[in-house]
Amino acid sequence: VPLMGLAVLIGWRRRALREAADPSRRRRRRAYRFALDRIDPTRRDGAGTVTTRDVAQALLRFYSDRYNRSAHGQLRADILATLQDDGVDAPLAEEYLALLDECDRSRYTPGDSDGASPELIARTREVLSRIERAK
């Protein structure tokens, strides 16, 4: 038992050192989980509602963390090219961009509520899951 404990401790330490040496790898590995946490209504502070702004930020942060690039200021064509270069098929990449556009339309259209619909959240989870599996 002490030898097994020592082996686990050494393995844990090696992993911690490897992650400390390459923070972009850690961000990439955790991107999917952080994006899902962002759009999970049970994890939200206050009323527990998810807004379209939260969904858009989850999508953009997923992109930033996964590809180690800032999503802010990038053209949609650049995001599309990056997704396709990573092995994401074109319809899925376009669906990702369509979700971003839907969030922007909802946020900036006067008179609409800012709350994200359960359907939008479900579609976002599905798209992120399929991008995570694509490789």
Side-chain angles (χ1 to χ4, degrees), residues 38-39 44 49-57 103 107 114-117 120-121:
R38 180 86 181 163
I39 60 173
R44 303 298 304 160
T49 59
V50 177
T51 64
T52 53
R53 178 185 174 125
D54 294 330
V55 174
Q57 286 179 347
C103 289
R107 285 173 52 201
D114 195 31
S117 68
L120 176 66
I121 294 170

Side-chain angles (χ1 to χ4, degrees), residues 63-122:
Y63 174 83
S64 294
D65 289 349
R66 183 166 171 93
Y67 301 108
N68 200 27
R69 296 181 180 180
S70 175
H72 299 288
Q74 282 210 1
L75 300 174
R76 300 283 201 231
D78 295 337
I79 294 174
L80 181 67
T82 301
L83 288 170
Q84 289 177 336
D85 289 344
D86 191 43
V88 176
D89 59 341
L92 180 57
E94 290 172 4
E95 191 174 348
Y96 175 86
L97 293 177
L99 284 171
L100 280 174
D101 291 339
E102 184 177 338
C103 289
D104 287 345
R105 272 194 309 276
S106 176
R107 285 173 52 201
Y108 298 117
T109 302
D112 284 349
S113 68
D114 195 31
S117 68
E119 184 221 27
L120 176 66
I121 294 170

